[in-house]
Amino acid sequence: MNNGDVILQTSTKIILFIIITFSAYLFFAGHHNPGGGFIGGLMSASALVLLALAFDLKTVRKVIPVNYRVLTALGLLLAVLTGVGSFVFDVPFLSHTFGYFDLPLLGKTELATAVLFDLGVYLAVVGVTMTIILSIGEDT
Amino acid sequence: MGQILITIGEWSIAFLVLFGAVLSVLSTFGLIRLPDVYLRSHAATKTATLGILCVLFAAFLYFILYEGHVSAKLLLGIVFVFITAPVASHLIDRSAYFSGVPMWEKSVQDDLKIAMNQGKHHEELHEPAE
């Protein structure tokens, strides 16, 4: 499958960082601007698919040794745990809160528990997309 | 002084948008008029890429001048399109060539064919009996 197109592989190596950086930006921008866990996860998955197109599935598995089914389960677990966590503070299920903190490097930053829920969505989307594409792709 | 800068900005934004749009129209005409896949992709890739870059840069200038907002996303988009569009065209042409799409009958030169034949010859020299 690896036909060794040098131009495709080299440009993939550069483009990959742009796509992953932009997906991280979309994930963190989701609270105040368009973006969020769903589209960030899809974009990360598309970066991995681009890697699989330029090289092959075996290489992708070797470079990123992640079991995507476990990743999906982890995302769902995180989303449920942020809901369960609200019981600790004696408020209804999935109540979210936010606050302002003085972080050392970033200064005054707004931290919200909704980001944790979004991280769960992100992991679940990456896991499901990559599971679908990898299981369709490798019919050996 | 500020008025002059704003006027210059307005005119350059208008010029860039118009130039980009005209280039995109030209690339569409090339796509319709040219005879084979390779010539068409030559027209479609280069002109459309430059047209998109002009329009994106005009949008970038607009946001700086009127909103006072430096949009890194548009700059990133410019870099991204500039890198990916030629690679996409390269891949389309390459797969067209290897699946045997013929060139225009008036084409005079096919260096890739010669190079491929030499490559085959070379491989046969190195790995003789199979």
Side-chain angles (χ1 to χ4, degrees), chain A residues 42-94:
Chain A
L42 272 184
M43 199 168 265
S44 291
S46 75
L48 295 178
V49 171
L50 177 66
L51 202 63
L53 279 176
F55 298 92
D56 56 13
L57 290 178
K58 225 179 269 172
T59 318
V60 175
R61 281 198 188 285
K62 208 162 55 184
V63 172
I64 308 167
V66 176
N67 188 348
Y68 293 103
R69 291 182 187 86
V70 174
L71 202 67
T72 313
L74 214 66
L76 288 175
L77 188 70
L78 198 60
V80 171
L81 280 183
T82 54
V84 172
S86 58
F87 289 140
V88 177
F89 301 99
D90 203 20
V91 284
F93 185 60
L94 277 175

mmCIF file of all heavy atoms in Angstrom, chain A residues 42-94:
data_model
loop_
_atom_site.group_PDB
_atom_site.id
_atom_site.type_symbol
_atom_site.label_atom_id
_atom_site.label_comp_id
_atom_site.label_asym_id
_atom_site.label_seq_id
_atom_site.Cartn_x
_atom_site.Cartn_y
_atom_site.Cartn_z
ATOM 1 N N LEU A 42 -13.505 15.729 15.302
ATOM 2 C CA LEU A 42 -13.559 15.331 13.893
ATOM 3 C C LEU A 42 -12.302 15.772 13.158
ATOM 4 O O LEU A 42 -11.760 15.035 12.328
ATOM 5 C CB LEU A 42 -14.779 15.956 13.213
ATOM 6 C CG LEU A 42 -16.077 15.173 13.290
ATOM 7 C CD1 LEU A 42 -17.138 15.885 12.493
ATOM 8 C CD2 LEU A 42 -15.884 13.792 12.743
ATOM 9 N N MET A 43 -11.812 16.982 13.496
ATOM 10 C CA MET A 43 -10.637 17.479 12.782
ATOM 11 C C MET A 43 -9.388 16.697 13.183
ATOM 12 O O MET A 43 -8.540 16.389 12.340
ATOM 13 C CB MET A 43 -10.469 18.969 13.051
ATOM 14 C CG MET A 43 -9.597 19.621 12.039
ATOM 15 S SD MET A 43 -9.678 21.378 12.170
ATOM 16 C CE MET A 43 -10.902 21.736 10.963
ATOM 17 N N SER A 44 -9.268 16.328 14.472
ATOM 18 C CA SER A 44 -8.147 15.484 14.882
ATOM 19 C C SER A 44 -8.201 14.143 14.163
ATOM 20 O O SER A 44 -7.184 13.641 13.674
ATOM 21 C CB SER A 44 -8.184 15.239 16.382
ATOM 22 O OG SER A 44 -7.895 16.405 17.065
ATOM 23 N N ALA A 45 -9.417 13.572 14.087
ATOM 24 C CA ALA A 45 -9.556 12.296 13.396
ATOM 25 C C ALA A 45 -9.183 12.435 11.929
ATOM 26 O O ALA A 45 -8.556 11.540 11.357
ATOM 27 C CB ALA A 45 -10.979 11.774 13.542
ATOM 28 N N SER A 46 -9.525 13.582 11.317
ATOM 29 C CA SER A 46 -9.196 13.746 9.898
ATOM 30 C C SER A 46 -7.692 13.885 9.717
ATOM 31 O O SER A 46 -7.144 13.446 8.695
ATOM 32 C CB SER A 46 -9.915 14.950 9.321
ATOM 33 O OG SER A 46 -9.301 16.131 9.751
ATOM 34 N N ALA A 47 -6.990 14.461 10.724
ATOM 35 C CA ALA A 47 -5.531 14.492 10.636
ATOM 36 C C ALA A 47 -4.964 13.086 10.662
ATOM 37 O O ALA A 47 -4.056 12.749 9.887
ATOM 38 C CB ALA A 47 -4.959 15.316 11.786
ATOM 39 N N LEU A 48 -5.519 12.231 11.527
ATOM 40 C CA LEU A 48 -5.042 10.846 11.581
ATOM 41 C C LEU A 48 -5.352 10.106 10.286
ATOM 42 O O LEU A 48 -4.560 9.289 9.815
ATOM 43 C CB LEU A 48 -5.680 10.124 12.768
ATOM 44 C CG LEU A 48 -5.263 10.674 14.123
ATOM 45 C CD1 LEU A 48 -5.982 9.946 15.229
ATOM 46 C CD2 LEU A 48 -3.779 10.523 14.299
ATOM 47 N N VAL A 49 -6.534 10.404 9.679
ATOM 48 C CA VAL A 49 -6.880 9.765 8.410
ATOM 49 C C VAL A 49 -5.918 10.199 7.312
ATOM 50 O O VAL A 49 -5.504 9.394 6.469
ATOM 51 C CB VAL A 49 -8.334 10.095 8.016
ATOM 52 C CG1 VAL A 49 -8.633 9.627 6.624
ATOM 53 C CG2 VAL A 49 -9.283 9.453 8.982
ATOM 54 N N LEU A 50 -5.535 11.483 7.329
ATOM 55 C CA LEU A 50 -4.558 11.968 6.349
ATOM 56 C C LEU A 50 -3.238 11.234 6.504
ATOM 57 O O LEU A 50 -2.610 10.831 5.510
ATOM 58 C CB LEU A 50 -4.354 13.472 6.528
ATOM 59 C CG LEU A 50 -3.312 14.105 5.618
ATOM 60 C CD1 LEU A 50 -3.759 14.035 4.182
ATOM 61 C CD2 LEU A 50 -3.052 15.532 6.012
ATOM 62 N N LEU A 51 -2.835 11.005 7.755
ATOM 63 C CA LEU A 51 -1.611 10.240 8.018
ATOM 64 C C LEU A 51 -1.729 8.826 7.449
ATOM 65 O O LEU A 51 -0.798 8.311 6.829
ATOM 66 C CB LEU A 51 -1.375 10.194 9.525
ATOM 67 C CG LEU A 51 0.035 9.911 9.986
ATOM 68 C CD1 LEU A 51 0.952 11.004 9.529
ATOM 69 C CD2 LEU A 51 0.067 9.779 11.478
ATOM 70 N N ALA A 52 -2.926 8.222 7.641
ATOM 71 C CA ALA A 52 -3.136 6.870 7.140
ATOM 72 C C ALA A 52 -3.169 6.835 5.620
ATOM 73 O O ALA A 52 -2.785 5.839 5.010
ATOM 74 C CB ALA A 52 -4.424 6.293 7.704
ATOM 75 N N LEU A 53 -3.616 7.930 4.979
ATOM 76 C CA LEU A 53 -3.642 7.969 3.512
ATOM 77 C C LEU A 53 -2.237 8.110 2.954
ATOM 78 O O LEU A 53 -1.875 7.483 1.962
ATOM 79 C CB LEU A 53 -4.496 9.139 3.028
ATOM 80 C CG LEU A 53 -5.995 8.963 3.009
ATOM 81 C CD1 LEU A 53 -6.647 10.256 2.592
ATOM 82 C CD2 LEU A 53 -6.371 7.865 2.048
ATOM 83 N N ALA A 54 -1.423 8.975 3.597
ATOM 84 C CA ALA A 54 -0.096 9.244 3.051
ATOM 85 C C ALA A 54 0.853 8.086 3.328
ATOM 86 O O ALA A 54 1.667 7.740 2.469
ATOM 87 C CB ALA A 54 0.456 10.526 3.647
ATOM 88 N N PHE A 55 0.759 7.471 4.500
ATOM 89 C CA PHE A 55 1.605 6.317 4.800
ATOM 90 C C PHE A 55 0.699 5.097 4.720
ATOM 91 O O PHE A 55 -0.011 4.977 3.742
ATOM 92 C CB PHE A 55 2.265 6.515 6.162
ATOM 93 C CG PHE A 55 3.166 7.720 6.172
ATOM 94 C CD1 PHE A 55 2.686 8.951 6.562
ATOM 95 C CD2 PHE A 55 4.469 7.615 5.743
ATOM 96 C CE1 PHE A 55 3.504 10.059 6.538
ATOM 97 C CE2 PHE A 55 5.283 8.721 5.723
ATOM 98 C CZ PHE A 55 4.804 9.947 6.114
ATOM 99 N N ASP A 56 0.651 4.226 5.713
ATOM 100 C CA ASP A 56 -0.401 3.214 5.696
ATOM 101 C C ASP A 56 -0.848 2.906 7.116
ATOM 102 O O ASP A 56 -0.299 3.421 8.089
ATOM 103 C CB ASP A 56 0.023 1.957 4.925
ATOM 104 C CG ASP A 56 1.297 1.370 5.462
ATOM 105 O OD1 ASP A 56 1.693 1.771 6.554
ATOM 106 O OD2 ASP A 56 1.875 0.512 4.799
ATOM 107 N N LEU A 57 -1.876 2.049 7.210
ATOM 108 C CA LEU A 57 -2.513 1.840 8.511
ATOM 109 C C LEU A 57 -1.550 1.246 9.522
ATOM 110 O O LEU A 57 -1.590 1.584 10.706
ATOM 111 C CB LEU A 57 -3.728 0.930 8.341
ATOM 112 C CG LEU A 57 -4.896 1.556 7.601
ATOM 113 C CD1 LEU A 57 -6.023 0.552 7.455
ATOM 114 C CD2 LEU A 57 -5.390 2.768 8.353
ATOM 115 N N LYS A 58 -0.660 0.370 9.041
ATOM 116 C CA LYS A 58 0.295 -0.267 9.954
ATOM 117 C C LYS A 58 1.204 0.791 10.578
ATOM 118 O O LYS A 58 1.457 0.784 11.782
ATOM 119 C CB LYS A 58 1.120 -1.297 9.175
ATOM 120 C CG LYS A 58 1.278 -2.623 9.905
ATOM 121 C CD LYS A 58 2.089 -3.595 9.077
ATOM 122 C CE LYS A 58 1.208 -4.435 8.186
ATOM 123 N NZ LYS A 58 1.982 -5.265 7.242
ATOM 124 N N THR A 59 1.665 1.740 9.744
ATOM 125 C CA THR A 59 2.534 2.803 10.248
ATOM 126 C C THR A 59 1.797 3.650 11.273
ATOM 127 O O THR A 59 2.366 4.007 12.312
ATOM 128 C CB THR A 59 2.997 3.702 9.091
ATOM 129 O OG1 THR A 59 3.327 2.875 8.003
ATOM 130 C CG2 THR A 59 4.178 4.529 9.491
ATOM 131 N N VAL A 60 0.523 3.982 10.980
ATOM 132 C CA VAL A 60 -0.240 4.815 11.910
ATOM 133 C C VAL A 60 -0.392 4.103 13.242
ATOM 134 O O VAL A 60 -0.251 4.692 14.319
ATOM 135 C CB VAL A 60 -1.612 5.168 11.307
ATOM 136 C CG1 VAL A 60 -2.447 5.924 12.308
ATOM 137 C CG2 VAL A 60 -1.431 5.991 10.074
ATOM 138 N N ARG A 61 -0.671 2.794 13.187
ATOM 139 C CA ARG A 61 -0.808 2.028 14.435
ATOM 140 C C ARG A 61 0.498 2.026 15.220
ATOM 141 O O ARG A 61 0.494 2.060 16.455
ATOM 142 C CB ARG A 61 -1.213 0.585 14.123
ATOM 143 C CG ARG A 61 -2.665 0.436 13.819
ATOM 144 C CD ARG A 61 -3.065 -1.030 13.953
ATOM 145 N NE ARG A 61 -4.417 -1.239 13.484
ATOM 146 C CZ ARG A 61 -5.486 -0.875 14.154
ATOM 147 N NH1 ARG A 61 -5.352 -0.280 15.321
ATOM 148 N NH2 ARG A 61 -6.684 -1.104 13.675
ATOM 149 N N LYS A 62 1.614 1.992 14.484
ATOM 150 C CA LYS A 62 2.906 1.938 15.167
ATOM 151 C C LYS A 62 3.255 3.304 15.762
ATOM 152 O O LYS A 62 3.775 3.402 16.872
ATOM 153 C CB LYS A 62 3.994 1.504 14.172
ATOM 154 C CG LYS A 62 5.142 0.802 14.840
ATOM 155 C CD LYS A 62 5.996 -0.006 13.854
ATOM 156 C CE LYS A 62 6.521 0.794 12.709
ATOM 157 N NZ LYS A 62 7.260 -0.020 11.727
ATOM 158 N N VAL A 63 2.940 4.389 15.019
ATOM 159 C CA VAL A 63 3.312 5.726 15.483
ATOM 160 C C VAL A 63 2.415 6.148 16.647
ATOM 161 O O VAL A 63 2.882 6.698 17.636
ATOM 162 C CB VAL A 63 3.204 6.732 14.318
ATOM 163 C CG1 VAL A 63 3.391 8.142 14.818
ATOM 164 C CG2 VAL A 63 4.244 6.423 13.283
ATOM 165 N N ILE A 64 1.095 5.876 16.530
ATOM 166 C CA ILE A 64 0.150 6.272 17.566
ATOM 167 C C ILE A 64 -0.498 5.006 18.117
ATOM 168 O O ILE A 64 -1.575 4.606 17.674
ATOM 169 C CB ILE A 64 -0.913 7.244 17.000
ATOM 170 C CG1 ILE A 64 -0.219 8.390 16.291
ATOM 171 C CG2 ILE A 64 -1.781 7.786 18.102
ATOM 172 C CD1 ILE A 64 -1.132 9.196 15.456
ATOM 173 N N PRO A 65 0.134 4.347 19.075
ATOM 174 C CA PRO A 65 -0.408 3.057 19.549
ATOM 175 C C PRO A 65 -1.556 3.269 20.523
ATOM 176 O O PRO A 65 -1.433 3.057 21.727
ATOM 177 C CB PRO A 65 0.807 2.401 20.216
ATOM 178 C CG PRO A 65 1.654 3.536 20.637
ATOM 179 C CD PRO A 65 1.383 4.693 19.730
ATOM 180 N N VAL A 66 -2.709 3.712 19.992
ATOM 181 C CA VAL A 66 -3.888 3.960 20.820
ATOM 182 C C VAL A 66 -4.981 2.992 20.399
ATOM 183 O O VAL A 66 -5.225 2.806 19.210
ATOM 184 C CB VAL A 66 -4.381 5.413 20.641
ATOM 185 C CG1 VAL A 66 -5.649 5.645 21.425
ATOM 186 C CG2 VAL A 66 -3.315 6.384 21.080
ATOM 187 N N ASN A 67 -5.615 2.356 21.372
ATOM 188 C CA ASN A 67 -6.790 1.547 21.078
ATOM 189 C C ASN A 67 -8.001 2.475 21.086
ATOM 190 O O ASN A 67 -8.386 3.000 22.124
ATOM 191 C CB ASN A 67 -6.937 0.452 22.130
ATOM 192 C CG ASN A 67 -8.026 -0.525 21.762
ATOM 193 O OD1 ASN A 67 -8.815 -0.258 20.852
ATOM 194 N ND2 ASN A 67 -8.080 -1.647 22.430
ATOM 195 N N TYR A 68 -8.591 2.681 19.885
ATOM 196 C CA TYR A 68 -9.617 3.728 19.782
ATOM 197 C C TYR A 68 -10.911 3.339 20.463
ATOM 198 O O TYR A 68 -11.705 4.201 20.824
ATOM 199 C CB TYR A 68 -9.829 4.100 18.319
ATOM 200 C CG TYR A 68 -8.637 4.778 17.736
ATOM 201 C CD1 TYR A 68 -7.759 4.118 16.899
ATOM 202 C CD2 TYR A 68 -8.341 6.093 18.072
ATOM 203 C CE1 TYR A 68 -6.643 4.740 16.394
ATOM 204 C CE2 TYR A 68 -7.220 6.724 17.581
ATOM 205 C CZ TYR A 68 -6.380 6.041 16.737
ATOM 206 O OH TYR A 68 -5.268 6.662 16.259
ATOM 207 N N ARG A 69 -11.151 2.028 20.641
ATOM 208 C CA ARG A 69 -12.360 1.630 21.385
ATOM 209 C C ARG A 69 -12.235 2.050 22.843
ATOM 210 O O ARG A 69 -13.184 2.560 23.450
ATOM 211 C CB ARG A 69 -12.560 0.127 21.271
ATOM 212 C CG ARG A 69 -12.935 -0.306 19.872
ATOM 213 C CD ARG A 69 -13.170 -1.810 19.813
ATOM 214 N NE ARG A 69 -13.368 -2.203 18.431
ATOM 215 C CZ ARG A 69 -12.381 -2.485 17.603
ATOM 216 N NH1 ARG A 69 -11.128 -2.410 18.031
ATOM 217 N NH2 ARG A 69 -12.631 -2.829 16.369
ATOM 218 N N VAL A 70 -11.017 1.853 23.398
ATOM 219 C CA VAL A 70 -10.773 2.285 24.779
ATOM 220 C C VAL A 70 -10.915 3.796 24.894
ATOM 221 O O VAL A 70 -11.439 4.319 25.881
ATOM 222 C CB VAL A 70 -9.372 1.816 25.222
ATOM 223 C CG1 VAL A 70 -9.036 2.366 26.597
ATOM 224 C CG2 VAL A 70 -9.299 0.317 25.226
ATOM 225 N N LEU A 71 -10.468 4.520 23.835
ATOM 226 C CA LEU A 71 -10.566 5.985 23.836
ATOM 227 C C LEU A 71 -12.030 6.423 23.895
ATOM 228 O O LEU A 71 -12.384 7.346 24.641
ATOM 229 C CB LEU A 71 -9.898 6.526 22.582
ATOM 230 C CG LEU A 71 -9.425 7.973 22.631
ATOM 231 C CD1 LEU A 71 -8.293 8.092 23.611
ATOM 232 C CD2 LEU A 71 -8.977 8.414 21.263
ATOM 233 N N THR A 72 -12.897 5.732 23.111
ATOM 234 C CA THR A 72 -14.327 6.048 23.153
ATOM 235 C C THR A 72 -14.893 5.836 24.544
ATOM 236 O O THR A 72 -15.612 6.694 25.090
ATOM 237 C CB THR A 72 -15.085 5.147 22.158
ATOM 238 O OG1 THR A 72 -14.404 5.151 20.919
ATOM 239 C CG2 THR A 72 -16.494 5.621 21.974
ATOM 240 N N ALA A 73 -14.551 4.679 25.143
ATOM 241 C CA ALA A 73 -15.052 4.375 26.481
ATOM 242 C C ALA A 73 -14.574 5.414 27.481
ATOM 243 O O ALA A 73 -15.328 5.867 28.349
ATOM 244 C CB ALA A 73 -14.598 2.979 26.893
ATOM 245 N N LEU A 74 -13.318 5.831 27.343
ATOM 246 C CA LEU A 74 -12.735 6.828 28.241
ATOM 247 C C LEU A 74 -13.481 8.151 28.136
ATOM 248 O O LEU A 74 -13.779 8.795 29.150
ATOM 249 C CB LEU A 74 -11.266 7.027 27.864
ATOM 250 C CG LEU A 74 -10.275 7.323 28.978
ATOM 251 C CD1 LEU A 74 -10.162 6.114 29.872
ATOM 252 C CD2 LEU A 74 -8.931 7.658 28.379
ATOM 253 N N GLY A 75 -13.823 8.549 26.902
ATOM 254 C CA GLY A 75 -14.553 9.795 26.704
ATOM 255 C C GLY A 75 -15.926 9.753 27.350
ATOM 256 O O GLY A 75 -16.339 10.684 28.039
ATOM 257 N N LEU A 76 -16.640 8.610 27.134
ATOM 258 C CA LEU A 76 -17.972 8.486 27.737
ATOM 259 C C LEU A 76 -17.877 8.506 29.250
ATOM 260 O O LEU A 76 -18.680 9.156 29.931
ATOM 261 C CB LEU A 76 -18.626 7.188 27.260
ATOM 262 C CG LEU A 76 -19.066 7.196 25.807
ATOM 263 C CD1 LEU A 76 -19.586 5.840 25.414
ATOM 264 C CD2 LEU A 76 -20.138 8.238 25.599
ATOM 265 N N LEU A 77 -16.849 7.823 29.788
ATOM 266 C CA LEU A 77 -16.662 7.777 31.239
ATOM 267 C C LEU A 77 -16.438 9.181 31.791
ATOM 268 O O LEU A 77 -17.016 9.566 32.813
ATOM 269 C CB LEU A 77 -15.470 6.885 31.562
ATOM 270 C CG LEU A 77 -15.251 6.565 33.036
ATOM 271 C CD1 LEU A 77 -16.349 5.634 33.504
ATOM 272 C CD2 LEU A 77 -13.901 5.934 33.251
ATOM 273 N N LEU A 78 -15.615 9.958 31.070
ATOM 274 C CA LEU A 78 -15.312 11.326 31.524
ATOM 275 C C LEU A 78 -16.577 12.179 31.527
ATOM 276 O O LEU A 78 -16.836 12.927 32.486
ATOM 277 C CB LEU A 78 -14.266 11.936 30.594
ATOM 278 C CG LEU A 78 -13.529 13.152 31.113
ATOM 279 C CD1 LEU A 78 -12.791 12.787 32.366
ATOM 280 C CD2 LEU A 78 -12.553 13.628 30.059
ATOM 281 N N ALA A 79 -17.396 12.039 30.465
ATOM 282 C CA ALA A 79 -18.628 12.828 30.379
ATOM 283 C C ALA A 79 -19.576 12.463 31.514
ATOM 284 O O ALA A 79 -20.185 13.338 32.136
ATOM 285 C CB ALA A 79 -19.286 12.607 29.022
ATOM 286 N N VAL A 80 -19.697 11.158 31.815
ATOM 287 C CA VAL A 80 -20.601 10.743 32.902
ATOM 288 C C VAL A 80 -20.047 11.215 34.244
ATOM 289 O O VAL A 80 -20.803 11.677 35.112
ATOM 290 C CB VAL A 80 -20.778 9.211 32.873
ATOM 291 C CG1 VAL A 80 -21.527 8.750 34.109
ATOM 292 C CG2 VAL A 80 -21.552 8.806 31.648
ATOM 293 N N LEU A 81 -18.723 11.139 34.420
ATOM 294 C CA LEU A 81 -18.133 11.512 35.704
ATOM 295 C C LEU A 81 -18.309 12.995 36.002
ATOM 296 O O LEU A 81 -18.512 13.361 37.159
ATOM 297 C CB LEU A 81 -16.645 11.153 35.724
ATOM 298 C CG LEU A 81 -16.333 9.689 36.004
ATOM 299 C CD1 LEU A 81 -14.841 9.472 36.081
ATOM 300 C CD2 LEU A 81 -16.988 9.255 37.304
ATOM 301 N N THR A 82 -18.259 13.849 34.947
ATOM 302 C CA THR A 82 -18.519 15.271 35.214
ATOM 303 C C THR A 82 -19.960 15.469 35.666
ATOM 304 O O THR A 82 -20.240 16.362 36.456
ATOM 305 C CB THR A 82 -18.270 16.136 33.969
ATOM 306 O OG1 THR A 82 -19.027 15.605 32.897
ATOM 307 C CG2 THR A 82 -16.821 16.207 33.625
ATOM 308 N N GLY A 83 -20.881 14.627 35.173
ATOM 309 C CA GLY A 83 -22.254 14.706 35.647
ATOM 310 C C GLY A 83 -22.369 14.218 37.078
ATOM 311 O O GLY A 83 -23.013 14.852 37.921
ATOM 312 N N VAL A 84 -21.725 13.071 37.366
ATOM 313 C CA VAL A 84 -21.809 12.495 38.715
ATOM 314 C C VAL A 84 -21.132 13.411 39.728
ATOM 315 O O VAL A 84 -21.582 13.526 40.877
ATOM 316 C CB VAL A 84 -21.162 11.091 38.713
ATOM 317 C CG1 VAL A 84 -21.055 10.540 40.118
ATOM 318 C CG2 VAL A 84 -21.982 10.156 37.854
ATOM 319 N N GLY A 85 -20.058 14.105 39.280
ATOM 320 C CA GLY A 85 -19.325 14.980 40.185
ATOM 321 C C GLY A 85 -20.186 16.066 40.799
ATOM 322 O O GLY A 85 -19.895 16.552 41.894
ATOM 323 N N SER A 86 -21.262 16.465 40.107
ATOM 324 C CA SER A 86 -22.108 17.520 40.662
ATOM 325 C C SER A 86 -22.863 17.031 41.900
ATOM 326 O O SER A 86 -23.295 17.836 42.717
ATOM 327 C CB SER A 86 -23.081 18.008 39.598
ATOM 328 O OG SER A 86 -23.864 16.936 39.142
ATOM 329 N N PHE A 87 -23.013 15.697 42.092
ATOM 330 C CA PHE A 87 -23.669 15.186 43.302
ATOM 331 C C PHE A 87 -22.845 15.468 44.546
ATOM 332 O O PHE A 87 -23.393 15.611 45.642
ATOM 333 C CB PHE A 87 -23.898 13.672 43.175
ATOM 334 C CG PHE A 87 -24.970 13.321 42.183
ATOM 335 C CD1 PHE A 87 -24.821 12.248 41.331
ATOM 336 C CD2 PHE A 87 -26.131 14.078 42.120
ATOM 337 C CE1 PHE A 87 -25.810 11.935 40.422
ATOM 338 C CE2 PHE A 87 -27.120 13.765 41.220
ATOM 339 C CZ PHE A 87 -26.961 12.690 40.373
ATOM 340 N N VAL A 88 -21.486 15.544 44.353
ATOM 341 C CA VAL A 88 -20.614 15.776 45.503
ATOM 342 C C VAL A 88 -20.951 17.119 46.154
ATOM 343 O O VAL A 88 -20.905 17.276 47.371
ATOM 344 C CB VAL A 88 -19.142 15.718 45.055
ATOM 345 C CG1 VAL A 88 -18.206 16.030 46.213
ATOM 346 C CG2 VAL A 88 -18.816 14.383 44.447
ATOM 347 N N PHE A 89 -21.296 18.106 45.313
ATOM 348 C CA PHE A 89 -21.596 19.444 45.823
ATOM 349 C C PHE A 89 -23.087 19.642 46.069
ATOM 350 O O PHE A 89 -23.553 20.759 46.222
ATOM 351 C CB PHE A 89 -21.071 20.500 44.846
ATOM 352 C CG PHE A 89 -19.599 20.387 44.635
ATOM 353 C CD1 PHE A 89 -19.092 19.733 43.523
ATOM 354 C CD2 PHE A 89 -18.704 20.919 45.562
ATOM 355 C CE1 PHE A 89 -17.731 19.612 43.342
ATOM 356 C CE2 PHE A 89 -17.348 20.798 45.375
ATOM 357 C CZ PHE A 89 -16.853 20.149 44.276
ATOM 358 N N ASP A 90 -23.858 18.533 46.076
ATOM 359 C CA ASP A 90 -25.270 18.561 46.431
ATOM 360 C C ASP A 90 -26.091 19.450 45.488
ATOM 361 O O ASP A 90 -26.883 20.280 45.911
ATOM 362 C CB ASP A 90 -25.450 19.023 47.880
ATOM 363 C CG ASP A 90 -26.785 18.543 48.444
ATOM 364 O OD1 ASP A 90 -27.338 17.586 47.861
ATOM 365 O OD2 ASP A 90 -27.258 19.129 49.412
ATOM 366 N N VAL A 91 -25.815 19.309 44.167
ATOM 367 C CA VAL A 91 -26.603 20.025 43.159
ATOM 368 C C VAL A 91 -27.082 18.995 42.149
ATOM 369 O O VAL A 91 -26.580 17.864 42.134
ATOM 370 C CB VAL A 91 -25.760 21.107 42.443
ATOM 371 C CG1 VAL A 91 -25.576 22.310 43.336
ATOM 372 C CG2 VAL A 91 -24.426 20.566 42.002
ATOM 373 N N PRO A 92 -28.090 19.324 41.297
ATOM 374 C CA PRO A 92 -28.614 18.329 40.350
ATOM 375 C C PRO A 92 -27.561 17.816 39.376
ATOM 376 O O PRO A 92 -26.517 18.425 39.179
ATOM 377 C CB PRO A 92 -29.711 19.094 39.603
ATOM 378 C CG PRO A 92 -30.106 20.175 40.507
ATOM 379 C CD PRO A 92 -28.915 20.543 41.300
ATOM 380 N N PHE A 93 -27.892 16.670 38.754
ATOM 381 C CA PHE A 93 -27.011 15.991 37.802
ATOM 382 C C PHE A 93 -26.625 16.940 36.654
ATOM 383 O O PHE A 93 -27.462 17.683 36.151
ATOM 384 C CB PHE A 93 -27.751 14.774 37.262
ATOM 385 C CG PHE A 93 -26.934 13.892 36.364
ATOM 386 C CD1 PHE A 93 -25.785 13.290 36.829
ATOM 387 C CD2 PHE A 93 -27.330 13.674 35.055
ATOM 388 C CE1 PHE A 93 -25.037 12.471 36.004
ATOM 389 C CE2 PHE A 93 -26.584 12.865 34.231
ATOM 390 C CZ PHE A 93 -25.437 12.262 34.718
ATOM 391 N N LEU A 94 -25.351 16.904 36.264
ATOM 392 C CA LEU A 94 -24.803 17.693 35.152
ATOM 393 C C LEU A 94 -24.841 19.200 35.410
ATOM 394 O O LEU A 94 -24.824 19.979 34.467
ATOM 395 C CB LEU A 94 -25.520 17.397 33.829
ATOM 396 C CG LEU A 94 -25.049 16.162 33.059
ATOM 397 C CD1 LEU A 94 -25.923 15.941 31.851
ATOM 398 C CD2 LEU A 94 -23.620 16.289 32.642
#
